[in-house]
Amino acid sequence: MDMPTPPDQPGTNADCRKVNAIFGRLGDKWTILAITMLSGQPRRFNELKRLIGGISQQMLTRTLRSLERDGMVTRQVFPTVPPQVEYGLTERGQSLAIPLMQLSMWVLGHISDIEAHQALYDREAKQQRK
Amino acid sequence: MDMPTPPDQPGTNADCRKVNAIFGRLGDKWTILAITMLSGQPRRFNELKRLIGGISQQMLTRTLRSLERDGMVTRQVFPTVPPQVEYGLTERGQSLAIPLMQLSMWVLGHISDIEAHQALYDREAKQQRK
DNA sequence: CTGTATCCTAGGGGATACTG
DNA sequence: CAGTATCCCCTAGGATACAG
């Protein structure tokens, strides 16, 4: 019984919020790459690391943990002598991969146009201020 | 003729990189919300601000500038006495909105499952360590 | 091989005040 | 009303060292 009006901001539709939270995940530096590399076949930790390329051990661990927490990825440990851990997409992870790939395709199809537009924009901006 | 092997990291497919870069944009705190609010009809600055809710003036400006730079959004200034600026989606912006909405639908359809899985995961993790 | 613990930095993002 | 300029904080993410 405290807040008169702003308990929930105007257009802050709860749905939009949630969607955005997940997009934040997907948009982080490695998540999409990881999902992509896992679609099709399960992969071992270092195999993933090589495939992704440029990711630090720690970030790969973090990324995979988050995905595991979301139920997107399974983690199976084989207690062999040098321990092996295999990661794979869950059903949910695979179903996510579908709209994800569609969006990826859109980006790939438009990326050169976008980059051209950025270059143009930057050129105009530079001229304006000097 | 310099670099023997690592000029481009292993799996660092250039395509994946580019897709990821755009996803970083989409995943930032406000971009998706802004695109969503602009789909359907153009909006004025403060109108957008109200609709989105919780966004600072500066972040709205930055977000819109980025979208403009990418050619997703148009900006039209009406030199009225209190200046008015209207933002709208370009054709490219509208075409992006399509796969974006599909992904949003996926998230909305799975968000409760995901949250449940997270809660479960957190509970198990907590028990394990204490 | 896989994972955790530290430490550190760059930049995203908020608040506020000021301008045309 | 729309936008810029400052200042400041917090956290994503890298490097490194260590452990099972």
Side-chain angles (χ1 to χ4, degrees), chain A residues 33 37 51-52, chain B residues 8-18:
Chain A
L33 245 21
M37 293 308 175
L51 284 170
I52 294 178
Chain B
D8 213 42
Q9 276 103 344
T12 308
N13 187 313
D15 284 352
C16 291
R17 285 295 185 187
K18 293 182 176 184

Side-chain angles (χ1 to χ4, degrees), chain A residues 67-105:
Chain A
L67 287 172
E68 204 192 340
R69 194 174 98 102
D70 292 347
M72 302 294 187
V73 152
T74 56
R75 175 174 179 267
Q76 192 176 3
V77 184
F78 297 93
T80 56
V81 72
Q84 294 200 3
V85 182
E86 201 172 81
Y87 292 90
L89 290 184
T90 61
E91 231 176 277
R92 186 182 304 150
Q94 299 194 21
S95 92
L96 169 60
I98 296 171
L100 214 50
M101 290 309 126
Q102 290 176 345
L103 189 51
S104 296
M105 295 314 293

Side-chain angles (χ1 to χ4, degrees), chain A:
Chain A
M1 321 312 193
D2 264 323
M3 322 211 246
T5 2
D8 214 42
Q9 275 102 347
T12 308
N13 186 314
D15 284 353
C16 290
R17 284 295 185 189
K18 293 183 175 185
V19 171
N20 217 47
I22 300 292
F23 269 82
R25 279 292 180 71
L26 299 179
D28 72 15
K29 205 168 179 183
W30 303 111
T31 299
I32 303 238
L33 245 21
I35 292 178
T36 303
M37 293 308 175
L38 286 176
S39 76
Q41 64 271 229
R43 304 280 194 181
R44 291 185 42 203
F45 187 88
N46 269 6
E47 188 183 6
L48 265 177
K49 189 164 184 300
R50 264 180 293 110
L51 284 170
I52 294 178
I55 189 173
S56 67
Q57 234 182 48
Q58 197 177 63
M59 282 315 296
L60 182 52
T61 303
R62 285 187 198 172
T63 301
L64 291 170
R65 284 293 169 285
S66 294
L67 287 172
E68 204 192 340
R69 194 174 98 102
D70 292 347
M72 302 294 187
V73 152
T74 56
R75 175 174 179 267
Q76 192 176 3
V77 184
F78 297 93
T80 56
V81 72
Q84 294 200 3
V85 182
E86 201 172 81
Y87 292 90
L89 290 184
T90 61
E91 231 176 277
R92 186 182 304 150
Q94 299 194 21
S95 92
L96 169 60
I98 296 171
L100 214 50
M101 290 309 126
Q102 290 176 345
L103 189 51
S104 296
M105 295 314 293
W106 186 95
V107 172
L108 282 179
H110 293 77
I111 185 67
S112 54
D113 289 349
I114 294 175
E115 287 174 346
H117 194 278
Q118 291 175 345
L120 178 67
Y121 183 96
D122 293 343
R123 242 179 297 123
E124 286 175 357
K126 178 165 295 181
Q127 279 181 330
Q128 221 126 45
R129 106 173 33 96
K130 235 322 174 38

Side-chain angles (χ1 to χ4, degrees), chain B residues 1 5 35 61:
Chain B
M1 319 309 195
T5 1
I35 292 179
T61 303

